[in-house]
Amino acid sequence: MLWLLAMLFCNWPLIGTGTSSTVSTRPDVVNIGAILSYNSSIGKVAKVALETAVEDVNSNPTVLNGTKLNLTMQDTKLSSGFLGIVEALRFMENDTVAIIGPQHSVMAHFPYFVRTTQSDLFQMAAVADIVNYYVWRDVIAIYIDDDHGRNGVVALEDKLAENRCKISYKAPLNPKLSSGDITNQLVKVALMESRVIILHIYATWGLEVLDAAWDMGMMRSGYVWIATDWLSTVLDTESSLPSAAMDRIQGVLTLRMHTPDSELKRKFVSRWSNLTTAKSDNGLFGLNSYGLYAYDTVMLLAQALDAFLNQRENISFSNDQSLSEFRGGNLHFDNMSIFDEGNHLLISILQVNITGVTGQIKFNSNGNLMHPAYEVINVVGKGMRTIGYWSNSSRLSVVPPEKLNTVTPSDHLYGVIWPGQTTQKPRGWVFSSNGRQLRVGVPNLVSFREFVFRVGNSDIFHGYCIDIFIAAVEILPYALPYKFIPFGDGHSNPIKTDLLYKITTNDFDAVVGDITITTNRTKIVDFTQPYVESGLVVVAPVQKLNSSVWAFLRPFTVMMWCVTGIFFLVVGAVIWILERRTNDVFRGPPRKQFVTTVWFSFSTLFFAHREKVESTLGRFVLIIWLSAVLILNSSYTASLTSILTVERLSSPIKGIESLITSNDPIGYQHGTFVENYLTEEYNIQKNRLVSLNSEEEYEKALKDGPKNGGVAAIVDMRAYMELFLSTRCEFSIVGQEFTKLGWGFAFPRDSPIAVDLSTAILKLSENGDLQKIHDKWLAGKACSSEGTKEDVDRLPLKSFWGLFLLCGSTFLLALLLYIIKLVIQYVRLSRRSSPTDNNSRPVPSFFSFMVEKEEDHVHDHHHDIEEEGNSGSKRRY
């Protein structure tokens, strides 16, 4: 940032004894100073704005209540920082309370510095958000090598890091630069991979840098130039910029401090043309945002002075007698005075809260102006076009920050015309043109060489993974030179994690091969889109089961058979209870009742029951049960058909769960992530894990088995195991795949090549080339690797839990209703049988009532009614 319009209050500490001068009443005049470079775009605009502001304050007696401002300005003529400091010291000879300026931060090393423009920290935050918005990860910073440039780049670096971006190359320019210095730095920049260039420099040399970049072909399509607000300041001010100069900066992005539209601003802008005519010898020039802040700085200072004078009503200055030894010379150190109440005026300034031409003027606790905001501008044609806004609260948006209270933030920018007159967003990088090839590490495998294998001792590799990488590189929109570098001794499979760490140590630029994408690995490298979807599986020896004499029992699990049998007996018992009092079929001797009930239960399996069900509740129960039997029958038939028509394989190992619960040794491929995965995720002890290097070792270990020094099963990626099983039918995948992983190519974190290769892999998948490469290397299997599905295809109890729950609920409901019915009938019987009536039959027990036939009680009931009728007739007679 340019430190223009910051204010310095000369309140240096006194040394020894000094003299002082005090104005005891409110002064008529207060001296203020300004240090500017009149010939710069900022300086000449600020000069007019400051003079106008002082006139407006002095012409309005209500602002300072009769006190007037006396402004003295010094032209630094773009001088060095030291000469600017000398100019500031001269103001101290004239009882100056405040100095406005300077334009260069190197001159601002004084006490009580207050920044009255936006901080560079916010401007760099805006630049970082623009970079992140367009998904660029590396940028190049060209900056002036002084406090202003270095501090800005440090702030930019911090803000980029928050978005996982970085400055990949810094190109400092000497403040006393020449055209040769500019060219030399641009040559170095052109050799870099990044094509996103941040230009943080003074307006004096900014256009020269862009002009040199044009001559070197660095303003063509593919480049991105983001200039800080110096460029918008130049274009706002120099309205007569030659068209040839405008042609050379087409497509550049720049920033401008945003000032909200207001009546005060419009009035000031309308006066600008007349003001420049009357107050400037440089002819007409435009108004930039620094001019607006210059005007408001005087207004701010006037408000603070008024508050200060209302409280203290005096201004005092002191002379330091220790400087008398420097008497003589042009600086007159012995005449320099110090504003004694500078700290009090500072407090008044920081407490100001007014509305000016730039909007609200108020400082936060850090001494910065509140509500920092910038306009994002695209240089197009003969002028500039605003494509959006940035504010510290809403970040990027196409809506001005002051309107975000009524409008939903959009979080995007309008379209940009980039260098080269293209609307397509530049990729932001190219492969470096300095001749260096991409160093690609490749695992030198000794097993499963269909995926990757090395030709002899050369650097030539072939295989499934290699072909996919080559095919993806060929469809990239740019050339990507590379060379394969083997990793491993060729006697055992290398450890893949060690290979990936070579990227972090800059030994490799990429890793290509059968590299599994895991969570831990993504913390150190970036992976492309997976080109193989594969998870972990268990492979074990299997035996054929299709000739078993008990095959008809395999459709259901043991628990399913038990529960089904129990329900057959239960339904018989329920029907017997519901039918016994009314249906003679279910009555008779106990042995007959038992045989009838059991026969009835199992005959419902074939819908062959001959016993007639008479009660309503019994029929209801039977309908529900026959529906359930129909479902069970159909499911059993379908499963049995599948078992008898498809070759089945069986293994004592049923999957990863049975491996965990056993103590048998488990094999895994050396160099892969499987060992750590099994120990960390499944708590399997390391002494159970056996490292294997080749398919032959896999086969021998499985055949030997745990009792002969082998393994019970092998855990590995499905892609390997399908290849292994293609010619080994005595083994098979058991259980289900228990992870979902994939293979990808690895690159350094935030590498743009990884993104582009991911897009290329998707294209290979869409056009069918990925499948063609798969068929070339991995097709033509002799054995099916479907694995044993004994447990998967057997129908478990949980598949029919709802059906049995429905049946059980029906049985209980029917029994409950039946018992209620019996209770009601028993109560009625008890009421009819009076103990005082000698002719009535005694009431049986409830249990006897339940087991007796219902017709007996009905007959007795009719008999009692007849007897009551006869006795009644006799009494009437």
Side-chain angles (χ1 to χ4, degrees), residues 376-412:
V376 184
I377 295 171
N378 184 203
V379 180
V380 179
K382 296 182 179 180
M384 299 179 289
R385 182 172 68 95
T386 299
I387 62 170
Y389 303 86
W390 179 93
S391 70
N392 195 37
S393 57
S394 62
R395 319 310 285 187
L396 293 175
S397 174
V398 294
V399 181
E402 64 272 13
K403 295 183 179 180
L404 286 176
N405 292 331
T406 57
V407 179
T408 303
S410 56
D411 194 27
H412 75 278

Side-chain angles (χ1 to χ4, degrees), residues 761-805:
I761 290 171
L762 289 175
K763 290 180 180 178
L764 291 175
S765 178
E766 292 170 356
N767 61 24
D769 288 346
L770 209 59
Q771 186 61 42
K772 292 177 182 177
I773 298 174
H774 177 275
D775 294 342
K776 172 184 175 182
W777 290 99
L778 306 177
K781 297 180 177 61
C783 293
S784 170
S785 61
E786 289 298 317
T788 175
K789 297 183 180 178
E790 180 182 2
D791 283 344
V792 177
D793 287 344
R794 296 186 73 179
L795 300 175
L797 176 61
K798 65 180 180 181
S799 299
F800 299 93
W801 182 249
L803 183 64
F804 286 122
L805 181 63

Side-chain angles (χ1 to χ4, degrees), residues 44 46 163 179 219 249 253 259 302 314 319 359 363 378 489 497 503 509 516 573 588 600 633 647 667 684 749 789:
K44 63 185 179 182
N163 296 328
S179 58
M219 297 296 293
I249 60 174
L253 296 183
T259 54
N314 64 70
N319 296 101
F363 296 96
N378 184 203
D489 56 13
T497 303
I503 294 179
D509 301 312
T516 304
F600 177 85
N633 232 334
E647 181 179 79
I684 296 176
R749 296 293 299 273
K789 297 183 180 178

Side-chain angles (χ1 to χ4, degrees), residues 569 576 586 588-601:
L569 296 176
W576 175 77
F586 292 93
R591 184 168 178 271
K592 176 179 177 295
Q593 293 183 47
F594 176 76
V595 172
T596 301
T597 302
V598 174
W599 162 255
F600 177 85
S601 298

Side-chain angles (χ1 to χ4, degrees), residues 317-361:
F317 295 85
S318 299
N319 296 101
D320 187 356
Q321 295 299 320
S322 63
L323 297 177
S324 59
E325 60 183 284
F326 298 105
R327 181 178 290 111
N330 294 328
L331 284 181
H332 304 289
F333 283 107
D334 54 325
N335 293 330
M336 290 183 182
S337 59
I338 299 171
F339 179 29
D340 295 332
E341 290 83 18
N343 57 334
H344 298 290
L345 181 57
L346 172 65
I347 295 173
S348 297
I349 287 176
L350 295 177
Q351 292 175 347
V352 168
N353 184 6
I354 62 173
T355 300
V357 295
T358 60
Q360 184 184 24
I361 305 173

Side-chain angles (χ1 to χ4, degrees), residues 184-408:
N184 291 337
Q185 284 291 8
L186 290 180
V187 168
K188 297 176 183 178
V189 169
L191 294 176
M192 299 296 111
E193 294 182 2
S194 177
R195 285 294 182 262
V196 181
I197 303 171
I198 313 299
L199 188 56
H200 184 53
I201 198 171
Y202 297 131
T204 315
W205 301 290
L207 290 179
E208 292 185 28
V209 173
L210 292 176
D211 193 61
W214 170 274
D215 292 335
M216 296 176 60
M218 297 175 66
M219 297 296 293
R220 65 176 185 268
S221 178
Y223 279 89
V224 177
W225 287 84
I226 302 177
T228 49
D229 63 356
W230 66 264
L231 181 56
S232 64
T233 300
V234 171
L235 296 179
D236 284 334
T237 308
E238 312 298 338
S239 56
S240 59
L241 202 65
S243 58
M246 288 297 298
D247 291 341
R248 289 171 172 252
I249 60 174
Q250 293 295 299
V252 176
L253 296 183
T254 185
L255 298 173
R256 176 199 287 146
M257 287 185 291
H258 175 66
T259 54
D261 186 33
S262 65
E263 185 65 26
L264 284 175
K265 179 181 175 181
R266 288 193 293 271
K267 287 182 178 179
F268 186 75
V269 171
S270 65
R271 298 168 57 192
W272 186 253
S273 175
N274 295 330
L275 292 174
T276 54
T277 302
K279 298 181 179 297
S280 175
D281 298 330
N282 297 325
L284 296 177
F285 47 83
L287 173 64
N288 57 49
S289 57
Y290 283 97
L292 297 174
Y293 278 100
Y295 183 88
D296 275 353
T297 297
V298 175
M299 293 300 175
L300 164 68
L301 179 57
Q303 291 288 335
L305 278 171
D306 184 58
F308 169 80
L309 293 173
N310 287 337
Q311 294 176 359
R312 307 186 68 83
E313 293 189 350
N314 64 70
I315 294 177
S316 63
F317 295 85
S318 299
N319 296 101
D320 187 356
Q321 295 299 320
S322 63
L323 297 177
S324 59
E325 60 183 284
F326 298 105
R327 181 178 290 111
N330 294 328
L331 284 181
H332 304 289
F333 283 107
D334 54 325
N335 293 330
M336 290 183 182
S337 59
I338 299 171
F339 179 29
D340 295 332
E341 290 83 18
N343 57 334
H344 298 290
L345 181 57
L346 172 65
I347 295 173
S348 297
I349 287 176
L350 295 177
Q351 292 175 347
V352 168
N353 184 6
I354 62 173
T355 300
V357 295
T358 60
Q360 184 184 24
I361 305 173
K362 184 180 179 181
F363 296 96
N364 60 22
S365 58
N366 296 322
N368 292 318
L369 287 176
M370 298 185 67
H371 311 304
Y374 284 85
E375 298 173 21
V376 184
I377 295 171
N378 184 203
V379 180
V380 179
K382 296 182 179 180
M384 299 179 289
R385 182 172 68 95
T386 299
I387 62 170
Y389 303 86
W390 179 93
S391 70
N392 195 37
S393 57
S394 62
R395 319 310 285 187
L396 293 175
S397 174
V398 294
V399 181
E402 64 272 13
K403 295 183 179 180
L404 286 176
N405 292 331
T406 57
V407 179
T408 303

Side-chain angles (χ1 to χ4, degrees), residues 433-608:
S433 56
N434 57 9
R436 186 175 68 85
Q437 293 177 307
L438 194 73
R439 299 165 300 171
V440 180
V442 183
N444 189 11
L445 300 181
V446 298
S447 62
F448 301 108
R449 291 164 59 86
E450 288 85 352
F451 295 107
V452 174
F453 73 91
R454 182 182 182 186
V455 178
N457 292 322
S458 68
D459 293 338
I460 300 174
F461 285 84
H462 294 300
Y464 173 65
C465 302
I466 302 299
D467 280 7
I468 291 178
F469 175 76
I470 294 173
V473 169
E474 288 177 350
I475 62 176
L476 290 176
Y478 51 87
L480 183 63
Y482 61 87
K483 64 176 180 179
F484 292 133
I485 302 175
F487 180 79
D489 56 13
H491 301 294
S492 62
N493 289 329
I495 298 176
K496 307 292 176 56
T497 303
D498 292 347
L499 174 57
L500 294 175
Y501 270 110
K502 289 291 184 179
I503 294 179
T504 64
T505 58
N506 201 32
D507 292 316
F508 293 143
D509 301 312
V511 167
V512 170
D514 51 339
I515 309 298
T516 304
I517 303 172
T518 65
T519 302
N520 289 335
R521 290 175 176 179
T522 58
K523 296 176 182 178
I524 59 173
V525 296
D526 276 355
F527 285 95
T528 62
Q529 169 79 18
Y531 60 87
V532 169
E533 296 290 344
S534 180
L536 288 176
V537 294
V538 177
V539 170
V542 292
Q543 295 178 345
K544 295 181 181 180
L545 289 178
N546 60 335
S547 59
S548 173
V549 295
W550 299 104
F552 69 92
L553 293 177
R554 282 163 43 201
F556 288 165
T557 61
V558 174
M559 182 60 69
M560 180 65 182
W561 277 119
C562 292
V563 173
T564 303
I566 291 172
F567 263 79
F568 270 107
L569 296 176
V570 169
V571 74
V574 171
I575 294 295
W576 175 77
I577 292 172
L578 298 177
E579 292 291 319
R580 187 178 182 283
R581 298 187 73 239
T582 59
N583 194 337
D584 290 335
V585 175
F586 292 93
R587 296 184 65 83
R591 184 168 178 271
K592 176 179 177 295
Q593 293 183 47
F594 176 76
V595 172
T596 301
T597 302
V598 174
W599 162 255
F600 177 85
S601 298
F602 289 98
S603 64
T604 58
L605 176 63
F606 310 102
F607 304 94

